[in-house]
Amino acid sequence: MTTPLEARRIVVLSPHLDDAVFSVGASIARAVREGTDILVVTAFAGVPGSANESGSWDRSVGFAHEGEAAVARRREDAVASGILGAVPVWLPFREEQYGEEATDDAIWAAIAPHLSGADAILVPGFPLDHADHRRLARMTLSRVDVRTRLGLYVEQPYATWADGPPRAGVLSQWVDEDVAWRPVPALGRDRRRKWRACLAYRSQLRRMLRDSPNLPWRVGRYERRAGGESVAWTSSRTVHR
Ligand SMILES: [Zn+2]
């Protein structure tokens, strides 16, 4: 099997502004270095024009209004994407903290045009503890063309709190139980570029480090043990409807 990361164009689906970079930033850096176009599509990138009061998470990191949080967090994502050489796309859907009312059909209609011409798609795969992450993964697995190369990525930092190694779990309706997560080869400079990009998410890191000061160490240890960032590549054999 050829490595799908050597494709010409890959779309990484990110639930929120930071998930893709925290989870597969080094893989993105490596792919870009090797000439692949990487589009990072963030589904729940918020509503910049909103004057609504901020949701619980956004309030906890110091934003008073929904729009203020969306603008600041998109700006952070633009900086991180620039460091990695990826192109960011932000869709105006709300995170769970705001009780997004858009249907899956409406969200998918906004995602689908960005997938055209993609040689591979990456989507969150494990542990899918967050409702928005599960929603995006389920939506993609149930709707994407079965011939598309689909990679399920291990989500950071969530995986460091998960019990045991990655598994199909809530995706077992679509993916064989024996689908295998494998480390994505990356060089030291790809990993360093990832960490530089992660630092761009200042508002998020402030809160994460307050809750869990040793978080970067935990993620680093997880990835060292796994041999790197992990992706399970599915094929039409392993994905069923
Ligand atoms: Zn997230």
Side-chain angles (χ1 to χ4, degrees):
M1 188 179 80
T2 58
T3 306
L5 282 170
E6 287 159 12
R8 280 173 296 111
R9 177 182 162 87
I10 294 176
V11 177
V12 184
L13 295 180
S14 189
H16 307 121
L17 296 157
D18 69 8
D19 290 308
V21 174
F22 283 163
S23 304
V24 286
S27 306
I28 292 172
R30 178 204 147 189
V32 168
R33 186 163 53 73
E34 293 178 349
T36 302
D37 290 335
I38 302 272
L39 203 64
V40 176
V41 177
T42 301
F44 306 102
V47 183
S50 169
N52 291 345
E53 239 177 64
S54 54
S56 53
W57 174 271
D58 282 340
R59 193 162 48 243
S60 79
V61 301
F63 297 119
H65 298 101
E66 182 182 18
E68 180 194 348
V71 169
R73 293 179 61 183
R74 287 177 179 208
R75 202 175 290 137
E76 293 173 349
D77 192 52
V79 173
S81 301
I83 290 169
L84 295 181
V87 176
V89 173
W90 305 312
L91 302 180
F93 298 102
R94 297 181 154 98
E95 292 187 21
E96 188 200 27
Q97 61 177 319
Y98 292 101
E100 176 57 83
E101 288 174 351
T103 62
D104 284 1
D105 284 346
I107 296 171
W108 191 252
I111 292 174
H114 299 290
L115 303 180
S116 75
D119 301 302
I121 299 170
L122 284 168
V123 69
F126 179 82
L128 296 178
D129 284 336
H130 192 296
D132 289 337
H133 291 223
R134 280 195 298 280
R135 188 178 187 192
L136 185 61
R138 284 179 171 147
M139 216 188 298
T140 307
L141 280 161
S142 58
R143 289 164 195 253
V144 92
D145 189 302
V146 287
R147 288 162 302 184
T148 308
R149 296 308 314 269
L150 198 66
L152 307 172
Y153 61 81
V154 165
E155 309 156 78
Q156 295 296 355
Y158 302 92
T160 69
W161 295 298
D163 231 0
R167 55 198 173 273
V170 299
L171 299 182
S172 53
Q173 183 184 344
W174 295 282
V175 180
D176 283 353
E177 280 297 341
D178 62 358
V179 69
W181 269 267
R182 303 199 193 288
V184 179
L187 299 180
R189 59 178 154 150
D190 302 321
R191 284 189 289 273
R192 286 191 293 277
R193 198 170 278 266
K194 169 193 182 161
W195 288 111
R196 272 213 292 133
C198 288
L199 290 175
Y201 299 100
R202 292 169 65 167
S203 68
Q204 307 304 296
L205 280 176
R206 236 181 353 246
R207 163 75 195 263
M208 288 176 177
L209 293 175
R210 198 163 70 212
D211 294 347
S212 180
N214 64 353
L215 200 62
W217 178 82
R218 287 179 67 102
V219 173
R221 183 182 62 170
Y222 186 100
E223 291 183 346
R224 270 195 307 282
R225 286 180 175 171
E229 298 169 342
S230 298
V231 173
W233 288 105
T234 64
S235 62
S236 47
R237 191 188 60 77
T238 47
V239 179
H240 27 89
R241 295 290 143 82

